[in-house]
Amino acid sequence: EFISKYDQFVPDVACLAEHGISLSMVCDMLWWLPTLPATKLPSIINPLAIRELTARFGPTKQAGEVEISQKSETLKANTKAVIIVDNSNYEAVATATILSKLLVKHFTHNPEFAPSVLSHGMQLSDSIKKVVIICTNGVFRQAQVLQVLWQAASNGLSHVPILAEENFRFPSKSLLQDIEPIAKVVTEYPAALLEVIKGVFKEIAIVFQPELYSTTEEILNTKALEVSRRLTSREAGSLYVSGELTAPEASTQEATLDAPKPEEPEEALAQLAETRAAVALLAEPVAPLKEKHEFDVPYGEDDDAIKALRF
């Protein structure tokens, strides 16, 4: 019925007429589509599922629906770095996979530090020393992500935040309040976990957004090089559990955020997140200073001051 009365359900189909596409052509296309081979993706995706999906592209005689398995790869025993991502976000997993591939060439001499994408359900092994966090909207609402993040902070692992979404919302007070019920499920110290989330952004995030139209392969390679340098830097920031761990006395008691350190007040942390664009400007080339004879000195100033400025 939907196809036979398509013009009633979708009246805007008339706009296709100017391109030579009639209503009957659209209806024929809708009848034809279900006869093509189809692939059903799992709700949780990982790099193995992506490779399995790409392997199915091309000519095939298989009709009907083909389902991609939810199997995940196991990390190598000596893996030193992983990428934490929201596995329910296809775009985020694709971004993490691209970044992982681009980083391989920067770790040819120590391949164990080339980050692998952490699949859903995986935990951090004792060999992990560094984590890359793909920051997308909703990532900190995933219990799996919070569990891994809590584990990383408990182990004091170095981290590099990646800004993978243009309209990403940095953790505000209201956002942390929304995350708090999930944090209570992950640990008996939800306030400390919320501090860990805030601590992620004490490091300046690297923008890596392959989906943008303006993003080129050259830009992605440059960003990947920057990530590799941060991963190998001894000055890379680390996640940690701050303050005294105090569990709520009763289930009705609301968890409160630990007070920020004196040297890192709440206002300073907020300004750090909001001024990331300004910090990025520091990487731009600085215009050369004017030649000494180009300095303008007002008349009437002391002669010695004029000489000091010019010479």
Side-chain angles (χ1 to χ4, degrees):
E1 182 183 2
F2 174 77
I3 297 178
S4 61
K5 297 181 179 180
Y6 188 76
D7 56 336
Q8 298 179 22
F9 288 105
V10 189
D12 290 342
V13 70
C15 68
L16 298 177
E18 61 182 283
H19 301 286
I21 302 176
S22 64
L23 176 61
S24 60
M25 294 171 65
V26 174
C27 292
D28 289 342
M29 178 270 297
L30 293 175
W31 285 115
W32 169 70
L33 277 177
T35 66
L36 298 177
T39 302
K40 183 179 180 181
L41 294 176
S43 57
I44 301 296
I45 200 167
N46 55 58
L48 182 61
I50 292 177
R51 287 200 297 273
E52 189 176 343
L53 174 63
T54 55
R56 296 182 185 277
F57 289 161
T60 177
K61 296 181 179 180
Q62 186 175 8
E65 190 175 86
V66 177
E67 187 170 354
I68 299 294
S69 65
Q70 296 192 28
K71 295 186 299 182
S72 59
E73 296 176 304
T74 56
L75 296 177
K76 295 180 181 179
N78 62 339
T79 300
K80 303 291 186 184
V82 295
I83 300 177
I84 301 174
V85 64
D86 177 4
N87 290 103
S88 66
N89 185 328
Y90 283 14
E91 195 70 54
V93 176
T95 297
T97 303
I98 293 171
L99 179 59
S100 176
K101 295 298 182 184
L102 293 178
L103 285 173
V104 170
K105 61 184 177 183
H106 298 294
F107 295 93
T108 53
H109 297 294
N110 46 358
E112 67 276 9
F113 279 99
S116 300
V117 181
L118 199 67
S119 297
H120 182 75
M122 286 186 175
Q123 299 296 320
L124 299 180
S125 62
D126 294 336
S127 65
I128 303 299
K129 304 300 180 185
K130 302 174 183 291
V131 294
V132 177
I133 305 170
I134 303 296
C135 298
T136 53
N137 287 322
V139 63
F140 298 118
R141 296 177 184 272
Q142 302 297 320
Q144 160 72 14
V145 172
L146 294 185
Q147 287 173 358
V148 176
L149 201 61
W150 178 251
Q151 188 179 1
S154 300
N155 295 338
L157 303 185
S158 299
H159 77 290
V160 178
I162 302 296
L163 192 62
E165 196 167 347
E166 195 170 17
N167 60 344
F168 174 73
R169 290 179 58 200
F170 285 85
S172 61
K173 184 177 181 180
S174 60
L175 184 60
L176 291 172
Q177 288 175 347
D178 293 340
I179 298 173
E180 188 175 359
I182 307 173
K184 290 180 178 180
V185 175
V186 173
T187 175
E188 59 180 331
Y189 309 110
L193 178 52
L194 295 180
E195 285 294 325
V196 172
I197 295 174
K198 291 165 60 179
V200 170
F201 301 99
K202 291 180 182 179
E203 291 291 307
I204 298 175
I206 298 175
V207 178
F208 188 84
Q209 299 172 357
E211 80 281 2
L212 291 183
Y213 178 77
S214 57
T215 300
T216 64
E217 186 175 352
E218 181 180 2
I219 291 176
L220 293 179
N221 281 316
T222 301
K223 294 295 184 179
L225 176 60
E226 186 178 354
V227 174
S228 69
R229 288 174 176 171
R230 291 273 289 274
L231 284 172
T232 55
S233 172
R234 294 184 178 181
E235 298 180 357
S238 299
L239 295 171
Y240 58 90
V241 178
S242 62
E244 183 180 356
L245 295 181
T246 305
E249 296 179 359
S251 59
T252 57
Q253 180 179 358
E254 295 185 358
T256 57
L257 297 178
D258 293 338
K261 295 182 177 181
E263 66 274 16
E264 295 173 331
E266 186 90 23
E267 295 79 5
L269 296 179
Q271 291 177 3
L272 178 62
E274 294 174 358
T275 57
R276 66 189 188 283
V279 175
L281 294 177
L282 297 177
E284 298 293 331
V286 179
L289 294 175
K290 293 183 178 181
E291 297 293 337
K292 57 185 179 182
H293 62 274
E294 293 179 348
F295 281 102
D296 295 327
V297 180
Y299 290 106
E301 295 288 344
D302 184 77
D303 291 340
D304 293 336
I306 295 174
K307 291 179 181 180
L309 284 173
R310 289 181 174 171
F311 303 101

